[in-house]
Amino acid sequence: MSYFFLDGYEDMEMYSPGEQPQDRPYIKLNANESSYPPSPAILTALSQVQINSMSHYEDPYNKQIRKAIGDRYDFSPEQVFVGNGADEVIGFIMMSFFREGFNIASADITYDFYRTYAKTFHLNYIQIPLKDDFSIDVDKFVDVDSDIILPNPNNPIGKALPVSEIERIVAKDPKRLVIIDEAYIDYGADTCLPLVNKYSNLIVVQTFSKSRNMPGARIGFGIADKELIDEMRKVKFCVSPFNLNTLSQSIGIAAVNDTEYLKECTSRTIEIRRWMQDELMKDGYHVIPTLTNFVFFRVDHMPASLMAAKLKERGILIRHYDDERIKDYLRITIGTRAEMELVMKYIREIAEEYKKESMKKAS
Amino acid sequence: MSYFFLDGYEDMEMYSPGEQPQDRPYIKLNANESSYPPSPAILTALSQVQINSMSHYEDPYNKQIRKAIGDRYDFSPEQVFVGNGADEVIGFIMMSFFREGFNIASADITYDFYRTYAKTFHLNYIQIPLKDDFSIDVDKFVDVDSDIILPNPNNPIGKALPVSEIERIVAKDPKRLVIIDEAYIDYGADTCLPLVNKYSNLIVVQTFSKSRNMPGARIGFGIADKELIDEMRKVKFCVSPFNLNTLSQSIGIAAVNDTEYLKECTSRTIEIRRWMQDELMKDGYHVIPTLTNFVFFRVDHMPASLMAAKLKERGILIRHYDDERIKDYLRITIGTRAEMELVMKYIREIAEEYKKESMKKAS
């Protein structure tokens, strides 16, 4: 540790992104990325955009893309905050509304980054266990004396809460800030955006990294009461006023306007997800019902980590977690139909191999 | 103020970027942007880059662009940190090494954003006055009991310190962190990058926003001892791991490799700067010697703010500051030769008009 590194950071828990090994080509089904390219409208936007416009600073108020997003979801631009990825949006929420010692509650099994934020900003991170069926324990969230951050649908589980249940959590106490991370909302769950005009203690965060197939573009947004958004903007102007580059603003506008393409890609993903769940269930796997672009299922007949390792040997990256509660589960991103057929073929091969070897050992 | 906004933020001083009025087209000479387009190599990079690669998360370690920058300046990639603009690089320096109550010293007349950072992170901001000739008072910086952030050359003044003077500040105390912001270094001053291998308490920050003509791309970098860089990376991984999007990484690499084009653009700027300074001096203006892409000069015969307002009426945006010490000065970014000729023409017209009106009033 250098002389200068701040005390309290020694044991910081960095977020560990899905692995990106370079030793060979892999089919990456471990980071909930899409197998589809971004909207073709982007190409047009990029050729139309004078590349030369990069020689000027962009509008730090991000007026055009905030208007495009606002128009798309029926909010005024004043209710929209745009960030360099949803991570940065949540980062600015943390900087604006959370200080050392504040409480923030989430689920015990959820997007790991919330714990990282909590630790980084020295918050008390309250982990409320999922129920036995891996659904969010809404009653406990209603009662907890804490601000709340929850993904809906939940990652890596895949289950979603109905809007009415989220409303119970938000409505309980207007002095409780509730952040709902809707990264996976476009794959079939209901958005709680309509609650934003009713409650000024709710921030809904969405991203272009999932249903719009462009994690590499780093565009996320938050929608909330305009007072909250204005305060986040003030903090942004104190740390990184020009947080969204000119190209991202242009391609973001093109992407948000291409609702047709989003619908096409998400419908296809939902269809393949259904097929994949059916195949897994046919083989006897316990599959959690999901409204996301991934499936989450239990491997009973062999260690899940071994299944993941064997898939990796075959060039397929998927996600396995060491947490005790879900160590028997695997998360696989929904890729193309061909990719998923290959994954199923390998899963069957691997299961078969394991069975044969177990029998050999037993005999 | 919302119920949730943190105490202590009420009176935060946001950075005010150069104005970007939309009422008519302006020649923007108020934000030290370049009048030249980014490197043509970028176009190639953008068409070569599979736009489709945006459908995956980028490498959060930014390996390729860190290597390209390291190679360019003779450092290992481990000594390079890349950020979403130099602002974000400095933001991560603040988060990594500064905590409420720490001291940080800078000049009284300097890049305004340092004060914003200091206020945002609740630091004690020590402002050491420039000497009467507007140069940095090095002895005072050597002696001050504080970490230090200084731009070299200084903005909005334009003067630069020799490397040996910066070394005196850095060498004085290995427990003092010194951040040198070299945003304008490519316009003729000497970089203190060679000091980085000698001192582990020095971080040098540079940007692609000035000499590489691409503020809209948001690419900045810091070079320092690899331990400091590693600690900044850790903090980044806790807040915004994917801080540089795929397109910025690609075009950044293309731009950093095109040293020829950088040389061409900066030489041309330096030549036009010389012409502009000569013209201003011919007309009797007190011009501060500059090693940047702007000129800074005193207007004695009329209020400088009025000169700026009259230029704006004519479609030219330049920068005037209200600070008592420099309220008689104007900062004009060096644009193309044609732009500067137009500015000189208007400056002369405006001065002439003012003289006539004053004489009329007097008679």
Side-chain angles (χ1 to χ4, degrees):
Chain A
M1 218 175 106
S2 79
Y3 174 80
F4 303 104
F5 203 39
L6 292 182
D7 299 338
Y9 274 168
E10 323 71 79
D11 58 345
M12 73 199 316
E13 295 176 23
M14 282 175 287
Y15 174 67
S16 36
E19 58 175 342
Q20 303 184 338
Q22 307 294 330
D23 56 333
R24 55 171 282 191
Y26 285 98
I27 299 180
K28 285 192 79 235
L29 302 174
N30 64 333
N32 297 344
E33 294 154 321
S34 170
S35 289
Y36 307 116
S39 158
I42 283 172
L43 264 173
T44 325
L46 268 186
S47 46
Q48 275 175 358
V49 128
Q50 304 260 17
I51 298 293
N52 293 358
S53 76
M54 275 196 293
S55 68
H56 288 278
Y57 286 95
E58 72 272 18
D59 165 26
Y61 295 93
N62 312 127
K63 282 201 201 87
Q64 292 184 342
I65 186 167
R66 286 166 69 200
K67 183 173 184 325
I69 293 170
D71 285 352
R72 166 70 184 78
Y73 294 103
D74 283 329
F75 289 94
S76 88
E78 286 75 35
Q79 292 176 281
V80 181
F81 180 93
V82 192
N84 185 36
D87 291 343
E88 198 198 51
V89 176
I90 298 176
F92 280 123
I93 292 172
M94 293 290 151
M95 289 197 66
S96 305
F97 309 118
F98 290 86
R99 175 165 288 164
E100 188 163 347
F102 280 29
N103 289 341
I104 189 161
S106 196
D108 63 339
I109 308 290
T110 191
Y111 183 40
D112 207 36
F113 210 89
Y114 307 144
R115 193 161 46 104
T116 303
Y117 281 119
K119 189 118 195 188
T120 308
F121 289 92
H122 308 288
L123 314 180
N124 302 323
Y125 189 55
I126 301 169
Q127 293 180 283
I128 298 181
L130 296 180
K131 294 198 226 171
D132 288 342
D133 68 350
F134 285 165
S135 63
I136 302 274
D137 194 337
V138 176
D139 289 339
K140 294 237 167 64
F141 278 96
V142 170
D143 289 339
V144 71
D145 182 21
S146 172
D147 290 340
I148 287 167
I149 185 164
L150 272 177
N152 192 47
N154 193 10
N155 169 25
I157 305 297
K159 285 191 167 186
L161 287 175
V163 175
S164 57
E165 288 291 272
I166 292 176
E167 183 164 12
R168 280 176 58 210
I169 298 171
V170 178
K172 172 69 186 301
D173 180 1
K175 293 187 173 172
R176 154 199 287 177
L177 190 61
V178 179
I179 302 143
I180 301 294
D181 177 352
E182 296 193 334
Y184 298 97
I185 199 68
D186 293 323
Y187 297 102
D190 289 331
T191 176
C192 64
L193 278 172
L195 299 180
V196 164
N197 285 327
K198 208 169 153 191
Y199 299 97
S200 56
N201 60 325
L202 170 66
I203 306 177
V204 179
V205 178
Q206 290 196 12
T207 178
F208 283 42
S209 299
K210 305 299 174 190
S211 55
R212 289 191 181 84
N213 318 331
M214 42 205 283
R218 315 309 302 132
I219 309 173
F221 59 94
I223 294 187
D225 184 81
K226 70 180 185 187
E227 195 167 23
L228 297 181
I229 295 299
D230 193 53
E231 288 163 350
M232 288 170 63
R233 185 189 59 75
K234 282 181 181 156
V235 172
K236 181 189 97 142
F237 264 71
C238 288
V239 184
S240 188
F242 300 99
N243 63 329
L244 208 64
N245 71 60
T246 49
L247 294 185
S248 290
Q249 298 206 39
S250 302
I251 64 184
I253 292 167
V256 80
N257 287 334
D258 195 352
T259 50
E260 212 38 57
Y261 186 70
L262 177 137
K263 185 113 191 40
E264 189 188 319
C265 293
T266 52
S267 306
R268 219 184 302 169
T269 298
I270 291 169
E271 195 186 304
I272 299 167
R273 177 180 80 200
R274 199 171 295 138
W275 176 86
M276 182 74 183
Q277 287 182 301
D278 287 347
E279 293 298 304
L280 286 166
M281 285 192 286
K282 267 191 226 165
D283 285 17
Y285 292 96
H286 175 63
V287 181
I288 308 283
T290 177
L291 289 171
T292 63
N293 69 340
F294 57 83
V295 286
F296 192 67
F297 62 101
R298 197 173 66 212
V299 182
D300 292 324
H301 53 76
M302 66 183 285
S305 57
L306 182 64
M307 174 72 83
K310 295 271 173 197
L311 281 168
K312 186 175 172 186
E313 282 173 17
R314 286 164 170 81
I316 311 268
L317 297 177
I318 65 166
R319 195 86 189 243
H320 171 260
Y321 296 84
D322 288 329
D323 308 57
E324 189 54 32
R325 263 192 102 175
I326 54 169
K327 69 173 173 30
D328 296 332
Y329 286 77
L330 293 176
R331 191 192 73 181
I332 303 185
T333 305
I334 301 297
T336 61
R337 174 70 184 249
E339 285 168 345
M340 300 326 277
E341 285 177 4
L342 192 64
V343 172
M344 270 317 302
K345 175 170 165 272
Y346 288 158
I347 285 178
R348 283 168 179 148
E349 269 178 32
I350 293 164
E352 196 58 35
E353 260 176 43
Y354 185 82
K355 201 170 140 192
K356 271 190 203 152
E357 275 170 37
S358 306
M359 281 167 66
K360 220 187 289 174
K361 276 183 202 152
S363 68
Chain B
M1 218 176 106
S2 78
Y3 174 81
F4 303 104
F5 204 39
L6 291 181
D7 297 340
Y9 274 168
E10 324 71 79
D11 58 345
M12 73 198 317
E13 295 177 22
M14 282 175 286
Y15 174 69
S16 35
E19 58 175 342
Q20 303 184 338
Q22 307 294 330
D23 56 331
R24 52 170 285 190
Y26 285 99
I27 299 181
K28 285 194 79 235
L29 302 173
N30 64 334
N32 297 343
E33 294 154 321
S34 170
S35 289
Y36 307 115
S39 159
I42 282 172
L43 264 174
T44 325
L46 268 187
S47 46
Q48 275 174 0
V49 130
Q50 304 261 17
I51 298 293
N52 294 358
S53 76
M54 276 196 293
S55 68
H56 288 278
Y57 285 96
E58 72 271 20
D59 165 27
Y61 294 93
N62 312 129
K63 281 200 201 91
Q64 293 185 340
I65 187 167
R66 286 166 70 200
K67 183 173 185 327
I69 293 169
D71 285 352
R72 167 70 185 79
Y73 293 103
D74 283 329
F75 289 94
S76 87
E78 285 75 36
Q79 293 176 281
V80 182
F81 180 93
V82 192
N84 186 36
D87 291 342
E88 198 200 50
V89 177
I90 298 176
F92 280 123
I93 292 173
M94 293 290 151
M95 285 197 70
S96 305
F97 309 119
F98 290 85
R99 174 165 289 164
E100 187 161 348
F102 280 28
N103 289 341
I104 189 160
S106 196
D108 63 338
I109 308 291
T110 191
Y111 182 42
D112 207 35
F113 210 89
Y114 308 144
R115 193 162 45 104
T116 302
Y117 282 119
K119 190 120 194 184
T120 307
F121 290 91
H122 307 288
L123 315 180
N124 301 322
Y125 189 56
I126 301 169
Q127 292 180 283
I128 298 181
L130 297 180
K131 293 198 228 172
D132 288 343
D133 68 351
F134 285 165
S135 63
I136 301 274
D137 194 337
V138 175
D139 289 339
K140 294 237 167 64
F141 278 95
V142 170
D143 290 338
V144 70
D145 181 21
S146 173
D147 291 340
I148 287 166
I149 185 164
L150 273 177
N152 192 47
N154 193 10
N155 170 26
I157 304 298
K159 284 191 168 187
L161 287 175
V163 175
S164 57
E165 289 291 271
I166 291 175
E167 182 162 13
R168 281 175 58 211
I169 297 171
V170 178
K172 172 68 188 300
D173 180 1
K175 294 188 173 173
R176 155 199 288 176
L177 190 61
V178 179
I179 302 143
I180 301 294
D181 178 352
E182 296 193 333
Y184 298 97
I185 200 67
D186 293 323
Y187 297 102
D190 289 330
T191 175
C192 65
L193 278 172
L195 299 180
V196 164
N197 285 327
K198 209 169 153 190
Y199 299 97
S200 56
N201 60 326
L202 170 66
I203 306 176
V204 179
V205 178
Q206 290 196 12
T207 178
F208 283 42
S209 299
K210 305 299 174 190
S211 55
R212 289 192 180 84
N213 318 332
M214 42 205 283
R218 312 311 302 132
I219 308 174
F221 60 93
I223 293 188
D225 185 80
K226 70 179 183 186
E227 196 167 21
L228 297 181
I229 296 298
D230 193 52
E231 288 163 349
M232 288 170 64
R233 185 189 58 77
K234 282 181 181 156
V235 172
K236 181 190 97 143
F237 265 71
C238 288
V239 183
S240 188
F242 300 99
N243 63 330
L244 208 63
N245 71 60
T246 48
L247 294 183
S248 290
Q249 299 207 37
S250 303
I251 64 185
I253 291 168
V256 80
N257 287 334
D258 195 351
T259 52
E260 212 37 57
Y261 186 70
L262 178 137
K263 185 114 191 38
E264 190 187 318
C265 293
T266 51
S267 307
R268 220 184 301 169
T269 299
I270 290 168
E271 196 185 303
I272 299 167
R273 178 180 79 199
R274 197 172 295 138
W275 176 85
M276 183 74 183
Q277 287 182 303
D278 287 349
E279 293 297 304
L280 286 166
M281 285 191 287
K282 268 191 226 163
D283 286 17
Y285 291 97
H286 174 63
V287 181
I288 308 283
T290 176
L291 290 170
T292 63
N293 69 340
F294 56 83
V295 287
F296 192 68
F297 62 100
R298 197 173 65 214
V299 182
D300 292 324
H301 52 75
M302 66 184 287
S305 56
L306 182 63
M307 173 72 83
K310 294 271 176 197
L311 281 167
K312 186 173 172 185
E313 282 172 15
R314 285 164 171 82
I316 311 268
L317 297 178
I318 66 166
R319 195 86 189 241
H320 172 261
Y321 295 85
D322 288 328
D323 308 56
E324 189 54 34
R325 264 191 101 174
I326 54 169
K327 68 174 174 29
D328 297 333
Y329 287 77
L330 293 176
R331 192 191 73 180
I332 304 185
T333 305
I334 302 297
T336 61
R337 175 69 182 248
E339 285 168 345
M340 300 326 276
E341 286 178 3
L342 192 65
V343 172
M344 272 316 303
K345 176 170 167 271
Y346 288 158
I347 285 178
R348 282 166 180 148
E349 269 179 31
I350 293 164
E352 197 57 36
E353 261 177 41
Y354 186 83
K355 200 169 141 192
K356 272 189 200 153
E357 275 171 35
S358 307
M359 284 167 64
K360 221 187 290 175
K361 278 184 202 152
S363 68

